Amino acid sequence: MTELILTTYDWVPDLPRGFVRDLRVRWALEEAGLPYRVASVPFRDRGASHLAHQPFGQVPWLLDGDLSVFESGAILLHLAEKSPALMPADPVGRSAVTQWVFAALNSVEMASLPWALLRFGTDPVPEAMTRFLILRLDRMEAVLAGTDWLPGGFSVADILMADVLRLVDRFDGLAAHPACKSYVARATERPAFRKALADQMAHFAAAD
């Protein structure tokens, strides 16, 4: 197996710590028990070598031998090919996971991320944005009621969906959606998540 290298920033301010998206990749790697190491790029100087791997100047990206993969969803799907702990082998299960990966990123995060970014700041959140998020949460509440994980059992789709909802929960945005809130609690109690979070926090703290 080729060496897996996860690249993230060398440092970020306190506010986004614990929510930088290398956490999703760390979590998946820990769930699968895949060996990896972490590399860093400067937070304040995003030069040509950074943009060659991540054209938007963001993180993370993953090196797998000569292959460089960016975007957290794409990285998780790449890792899912390496471990049945991240995605089942049968076509029906793989299809379900892939659908929910895209749902987490396109249907739910599209509504949750703008809302959360405004909550990080001081600008008021438009009512229309909150209504849009609530509509998406209502749909997820119906899906998650009475089940521990998304269809097919725990997978990279749950890593993504739980991380998307976790940011909403940071601002108590799941108070009216108990199934979503319980889902986040279950996911974040997993040992792989706890290790991934601790490692990310330690990584950024070391550069303070």
Side-chain angles (χ1 to χ4, degrees), residues 114-127 129-130 171:
W115 179 89
L117 289 175
L118 286 176
R119 293 295 301 271
F120 272 119
T122 58
D123 293 334
V125 180
E127 289 186 14
M129 186 179 290
T130 298
F171 300 104

Side-chain angles (χ1 to χ4, degrees), residues 124-168:
V125 180
E127 289 186 14
M129 186 179 290
T130 298
R131 288 197 301 270
F132 183 39
L133 174 60
I134 290 171
L135 178 62
R136 290 292 193 250
L137 294 177
D138 288 346
R139 300 292 185 264
M140 286 309 305
E141 186 75 5
V143 170
L144 294 171
T147 187
D148 285 345
W149 308 115
L150 293 173
F154 186 86
S155 71
V156 290
D158 292 294
I159 290 174
L160 281 166
M161 187 66 78
D163 198 50
V164 167
L165 294 175
R166 189 171 67 95
L167 184 56
V168 178

Side-chain angles (χ1 to χ4, degrees), residues 21 25 54 56 58-61 69-76:
R21 290 179 182 177
V25 183
Q54 220 298 350
F56 302 103
Q58 299 171 321
V59 294
W61 70 83
V69 187
F70 73 96
E71 290 293 338
S72 60
I75 296 170
L76 263 61

Side-chain angles (χ1 to χ4, degrees), residues 147-199:
T147 187
D148 285 345
W149 308 115
L150 293 173
F154 186 86
S155 71
V156 290
D158 292 294
I159 290 174
L160 281 166
M161 187 66 78
D163 198 50
V164 167
L165 294 175
R166 189 171 67 95
L167 184 56
V168 178
D169 197 38
R170 175 175 181 159
F171 300 104
D172 203 28
L174 300 181
H177 295 85
C180 291
K181 191 172 182 66
S182 294
Y183 173 72
V184 170
R186 275 193 304 280
T188 56
E189 287 169 359
R190 294 177 71 89
F193 173 83
R194 290 179 178 271
K195 184 175 187 305
L197 178 62
D199 287 352

